[in-house]
Amino acid sequence: MLFWLIEETLMKKIFTLIVICAIVTSCGQTGEQSKSLDDLDLFLASVEEDNLTEGPIVNSAYWIGSNFITYDSQKVLSDYSKRYTLKALELSREAALFNNLDTSDSNRRQLELLKSSFVMPPPFNEALAGELSTISTQLDAMYGSGKHCYEDGTCYELGDFEQILDNSRDPSELLKAWTGWHEIGKPMKPMYMRMVEIGNQGSKDLGFEGLSDLWFSKYDMPAEEFLQETDRVWEEVKPLYEALHCHVRSELNSKYGDEEVPLDGPLPVHLLGNMWGQSWSNIYDLVYKAEETNPIDVTQIIKDRNINEKQMVEYAENFFLSMGFNSLPETFWERSLFIKPADRSVQCHASAWNLDSANNDLRIKMCIEKNEEDFSTIHHELGHIFYYQAYNHLPTLFQGGANDGFHEAFGDLLTLSITPGYLNDIGFISAEEAEAAKKDEIGLLMKQALEGVVVIPWALMLDKWRSGIFNGEIDESNLNQSWWDMRESYQGITSPVARTEDYFDPGAKYHIPGNTPYTRYYLARIMQYQFHESLCNEMNFQGALHECSIYGNSEVGEKIISTMAMGQSLPWQDAFENITGSRKLSGSSVMNYYKPLKDWLDKQNENRMCGWE
Ligand code: X8Z
Ligand code: ZN
């Protein structure tokens, strides 16, 4: 393999384009017995050397392609991808020669990682590798530079539409903005389907049953077993989501009436304060009225104090430093993108990059808005960055999260510690304000749940839909309908207007054209509560879980850093055990954390009809 991980969210752009036919018979190389342990050492050393020399160059090509979306940057990127894919194939064929060699667990794991770290692999064929590379580069750019223009000549980008979706309370304005952005998916549909066709062929050449099998085989257990685990956990947390859904529906019905929000149906997505309905925190004030206290308004604090984008990042860095992490390199501050450029097209979806691990060249790219949501997202992104920094000493093949959910989980873990006490510690609010805010336990939990619980079924459903497409279980004539059927079934959410198969609504979500697997966010949203509960127990914290903050605790920090420093050198269960003492995912920590809210919701819902079927 030629280059190592850019980041968890973007490494797929590389691996999408890497071909490895290595596994068993497809390269015709099995059965060869002549390779020795010395040969293997030489081979792994040469992979490492390639990764360290070529990796940073390729990563820069990706950075430019994503940071300056132009005809030329995409041409260069697409070509790089194809050439590196084909070159990587040579290495992977060589890796297969070691299949029968008895070697150390560490070497075996590196060989396995070489074979399984792909997201959308083409078959070993120059034309198909080129076609796949072109399609995926184009899909990414279509999303990143996407806009919709109306007949009067006004054009809106995603950020403009999101301003409306996040803030407006006018159903017709919301509908217009929602449908406007969702026009973006239409031309993606045939390209997406062709990409899946090629990726399925490539996955089969790798020895997998197809893309779905490839995607779910990365969790140190058989794919089937992993999928059962995710379903099992969903059953544990579903009652909480259903209670929240019931309450929110009732409040939205009071606001918008039976016509817009019928009391027995799914929620129309455009009324939820988010383009995809994946977080409802922007409609907090509609669904919860505090009795005595005013809720803490972090957005207002950021505005009132004139905290700029860079300072927002510094607050997040400070959180990590308070736990004993090393500070970020100067180059992070020099080379990151924090502010949306006015004069060029940029992929604005927040991302974290590990461009050159040997030189600790770490960056985030994010069009920061000065609000609470982005304050949280910055912590999320720095979770990736500090993870990179913690494992960059490892061989490049081990530079990754224990699984992809881990990489998403640590930043989110910190956001659970943005408590009133923490906000007082960093000077955002006074001690009196913190005390007053603490009294409104339900308000605090509601705020967290509208993001942290609401995202769970969405994060589970998204890859279930994708898996259906990959497996051919979802018919091509039913792509959009099946998307909405699944959204309704898992989330109780519906499209605001009837959608035909001319639309490709999944394409309006970054991770679909960008080919970023999404189950990682599901895992993260479950694991973050398990981490939080274990760490707070370890701190001997006596109060309710939502009052516990790990800010400033270096023992907890040490535990997180040591887990991060393992990278992906061991099965994820080992890393999980290091923090939680357990080797199993569980929804019980989510339920413990939100217990007071669940009790309150059940009371509110007593005489309401809940459910949407
Ligand atoms: O994509 C992201 C991060 C980058 S890894 C900003 N997230 C998912 C999303 O936006 O849909 C974080 C939450 C879920
Ligand atoms: Zn992330």
Side-chain angles (χ1 to χ4, degrees):
M1 185 156 54
L2 295 159
F3 27 76
W4 73 111
L5 315 181
I6 292 180
E7 60 131 1
E8 286 299 300
T9 60
L10 291 178
M11 74 185 199
K12 43 84 195 183
K13 292 177 201 288
I14 289 177
F15 292 123
T16 294
L17 302 156
I18 293 177
V19 182
I20 291 184
C21 67
I23 298 191
V24 265
T25 54
S26 49
C27 295
Q29 304 272 14
T30 49
E32 201 163 320
Q33 300 294 326
S34 56
K35 290 286 180 187
S36 68
L37 288 172
D38 286 345
D39 293 333
L40 177 55
D41 285 344
L42 282 174
F43 172 67
L44 289 175
S46 81
V47 170
E48 184 71 1
E49 175 68 20
D50 278 341
N51 285 347
L52 287 171
T53 51
E54 308 284 333
I57 312 290
V58 181
N59 292 345
S60 284
Y62 276 94
W63 176 264
I64 293 166
S66 193
N67 222 320
F68 304 83
I69 306 177
T70 65
Y71 169 79
D72 295 291
S73 68
Q74 304 312 298
K75 192 164 80 177
V76 170
L77 188 51
S78 174
D79 182 58
Y80 256 96
S81 300
K82 185 187 106 175
R83 285 186 294 111
Y84 278 98
T85 297
L86 294 169
K87 204 167 164 198
L89 184 60
E90 284 168 32
L91 287 178
S92 67
R93 299 182 91 182
E94 210 178 326
L97 300 179
F98 299 98
N99 276 354
N100 298 326
L101 189 72
D102 195 11
T103 182
S104 67
D105 287 352
S106 167
N107 283 350
R108 181 55 55 205
R109 194 165 173 87
Q110 290 187 67
L111 289 169
E112 290 305 317
L113 285 166
L114 261 171
K115 293 187 285 192
S116 65
S117 300
F118 310 105
V119 173
M120 194 57 70
F124 179 38
N125 172 303
E126 182 163 357
L128 288 174
E131 188 182 351
L132 184 64
S133 169
T134 304
I135 295 176
S136 40
T137 308
Q138 280 176 353
L139 281 172
D140 238 359
M142 282 161 82
Y143 187 95
S145 58
K147 56 174 180 254
H148 180 66
C149 299
Y150 293 98
E151 276 169 9
D152 65 4
T154 50
C155 294
Y156 288 69
E157 297 180 356
L158 175 58
D160 306 321
F161 283 128
E162 281 192 281
Q163 280 294 338
I164 300 169
L165 261 296
D166 293 358
N167 300 306
S168 170
R169 299 287 152 88
D170 172 353
S172 59
E173 189 185 29
L174 286 163
L175 180 61
K176 190 176 168 202
W178 187 89
T179 50
W181 174 245
H182 281 74
E183 286 292 314
I184 186 115
K186 276 184 183 166
M188 292 179 184
K189 184 168 159 172
M191 297 164 72
Y192 189 81
M193 294 313 284
R194 177 63 182 149
M195 181 179 72
V196 169
E197 193 181 359
I198 300 173
N200 265 331
Q201 284 179 42
S203 303
K204 284 181 186 149
D205 285 358
L206 283 163
F208 295 91
E209 284 169 26
L211 278 166
S212 184
D213 187 33
L214 167 66
W215 280 30
F216 294 121
S217 291
K218 300 174 197 228
Y219 297 97
D220 298 299
M221 60 174 78
E224 254 326 291
E225 206 179 300
F226 173 71
L227 289 169
Q228 279 167 15
E229 281 293 281
T230 57
D231 287 343
R232 175 182 63 75
V233 173
W234 170 231
E235 289 304 321
E236 289 175 355
V237 298
K238 199 160 133 189
L240 173 62
Y241 179 75
E242 287 173 343
L244 189 59
H245 182 283
C246 191
H247 173 71
V248 167
R249 181 173 62 192
S250 170
E251 297 299 327
L252 288 182
N253 172 275
S254 306
K255 162 84 182 160
Y256 293 112
D258 290 344
E259 188 93 334
E260 292 283 350
V261 187
L263 274 174
D264 57 356
L267 299 167
V269 69
H270 65 309
L271 303 180
L272 298 172
N274 175 276
M275 181 61 80
W276 306 276
Q278 68 182 72
S279 163
W280 306 344
S281 53
N282 285 323
I283 56 164
Y284 173 78
D285 60 318
L286 293 185
V287 303
Y288 183 75
K289 314 261 179 311
E291 269 157 33
E292 284 162 24
T293 52
N294 285 328
I296 301 167
D297 187 344
V298 172
T299 302
Q300 201 53 49
I301 295 168
I302 291 170
K303 292 206 165 115
D304 289 348
R305 295 175 175 232
N306 272 325
I307 295 172
N308 66 28
E309 294 82 353
K310 185 173 176 226
Q311 289 166 328
M312 288 169 75
V313 183
E314 284 166 350
Y315 274 109
E317 186 202 26
N318 173 57
F319 197 133
F320 284 90
L321 301 191
S322 81
M323 291 192 295
F325 282 82
N326 293 331
S327 51
L328 295 176
E330 260 320 298
T331 52
F332 170 83
W333 301 101
E334 286 160 16
R335 297 173 191 165
S336 287
L337 178 100
F338 299 145
I339 301 174
K340 186 178 189 307
D343 56 352
R344 65 173 199 264
S345 233
V346 167
Q347 180 64 265
C348 266
H349 189 89
S351 55
W353 297 60
N354 191 13
L355 281 99
D356 180 351
S357 63
N359 291 301
N360 213 27
D361 184 351
L362 310 167
R363 309 177 198 174
I364 66 169
K365 183 167 62 57
M366 182 172 172
C367 304
I368 298 176
E369 297 283 334
K370 291 182 216 159
N371 60 35
E372 182 167 4
E373 191 178 335
D374 278 10
F375 191 58
S376 279
T377 304
I378 291 167
H379 287 76
H380 175 96
E381 294 310 323
L382 289 200
H384 291 302
I385 294 290
F386 280 99
Y387 212 148
Y388 299 143
Q389 189 161 259
Y391 65 51
N392 269 348
H393 64 285
L394 294 174
T396 52
L397 286 170
F398 286 151
Q399 291 175 8
N403 65 38
D404 55 4
F406 274 69
H407 229 295
E408 304 299 337
F410 285 110
D412 293 350
L413 169 71
L414 262 58
T415 65
L416 292 181
S417 288
I418 303 183
T419 56
Y422 166 71
L423 291 173
N424 173 233
D425 284 343
I426 64 168
F428 270 31
I429 56 175
S430 67
E432 294 73 42
E433 285 169 315
E435 278 315 307
K438 276 185 205 165
K439 290 198 183 107
D440 187 10
E441 174 180 62
I442 301 305
L444 291 169
L445 287 170
M446 178 67 87
K447 195 73 184 282
Q448 289 279 10
L450 289 173
E451 207 273 316
V453 174
V454 164
V455 73
I456 292 175
W458 157 254
L460 182 64
M461 161 274 157
L462 202 144
D463 278 351
K464 282 193 186 285
W465 178 83
R466 238 183 324 208
S467 177
I469 303 291
F470 294 167
N471 288 337
E473 284 156 10
I474 295 174
D475 191 65
E476 195 165 341
S477 65
N478 199 32
L479 291 188
N480 215 47
Q481 186 56 43
S482 61
W483 171 259
W484 287 109
D485 287 348
M486 280 196 173
R487 294 207 66 178
E488 177 160 341
S489 159
Y490 279 91
Q491 297 176 273
I493 285 181
T494 184
S495 61
V497 281
R499 308 293 281 171
T500 67
E501 289 300 323
D502 287 343
Y503 292 100
F504 184 62
D505 292 327
K509 177 68 191 164
Y510 168 77
H511 303 71
I512 299 288
N515 269 325
T516 307
Y518 212 82
T519 307
R520 57 185 59 182
Y521 303 110
Y522 176 77
L523 297 176
R525 291 320 182 130
I526 301 298
M527 294 194 303
Q528 74 177 112
Y529 293 95
Q530 288 186 267
F531 292 169
H532 184 76
E533 187 171 31
S534 307
L535 295 172
C536 291
N537 284 341
E538 195 154 303
M539 283 162 58
N540 250 324
F541 184 79
Q542 296 302 322
L545 280 171
H546 70 275
E547 287 177 2
C548 169
S549 177
I550 60 175
Y551 176 69
N553 192 306
S554 52
E555 273 164 46
V556 160
E558 174 45 39
K559 194 144 240 195
I560 298 173
I561 295 166
S562 66
T563 307
M564 286 179 163
M566 291 159 71
Q568 52 184 351
S569 63
L570 292 165
W572 68 262
Q573 292 87 344
D574 291 8
F576 197 69
E577 193 171 10
N578 201 36
I579 297 195
T580 63
S582 154
R583 300 180 68 82
K584 240 175 141 48
L585 289 177
S586 165
S588 64
S589 297
V590 176
M591 298 307 276
N592 290 343
Y593 185 93
Y594 289 108
K595 170 102 179 40
L597 177 68
K598 174 71 168 54
D599 292 345
W600 182 87
L601 287 168
D602 287 346
K603 249 200 175 128
Q604 303 297 310
N605 292 334
E606 241 162 31
N607 297 314
R608 292 172 176 158
M609 186 171 46
C610 295
W612 52 85
E613 308 216 60

